[in-house]
Amino acid sequence: VRCWSAEGKTEIAAEAVDHPLDDTGAGDTFAGAFLAAKLRGLGLAECLETANLAARASLFAPGTRLEADSFDALKKRFPLFA
């Protein structure tokens, strides 16, 4: 995952997803998680990591709703979602 800003290019590693169930809403999930992380003062790399993991989790849920256990796992890893 790459992002360009006034400070230059920031990259983070992203794992491939073998068998996504549904990609509906994954981009919106990425954008929302990125903005939530940025508004809470996280650095650019942390924002990208947070957004990527949230979007990845959304790939395994049908439609646009993240299952409760997936959301709970995100809250444990990233307290900003709590």
Side-chain angles (χ1 to χ4, degrees), residues 4 8-9 12 16-18 23 25 29 32 37 47 52-53 61-62 66 74 79 82:
W4 285 264
K9 181 173 73 170
I12 64 158
V17 176
D18 290 329
D23 65 356
T29 301
C47 292
N52 189 56
L53 288 172
L66 191 60
L74 283 174

Side-chain angles (χ1 to χ4, degrees), residues 3-7 10 30-51 80-81:
C3 181
W4 285 264
S5 70
E7 291 82 33
T10 301
F30 183 96
F34 183 93
L35 289 172
K38 191 68 177 162
L39 290 171
R40 286 170 174 78
L42 274 65
L44 193 51
E46 292 171 299
C47 292
L48 290 172
E49 182 181 348
T50 300
L80 70 98
F81 289 116

Side-chain angles (χ1 to χ4, degrees), residues 6 11 16-17 38-39 58 63 71 76 79:
E11 287 186 83
V17 176
K38 191 68 177 162
L39 290 171
S58 77
F71 190 68
K76 287 179 186 171

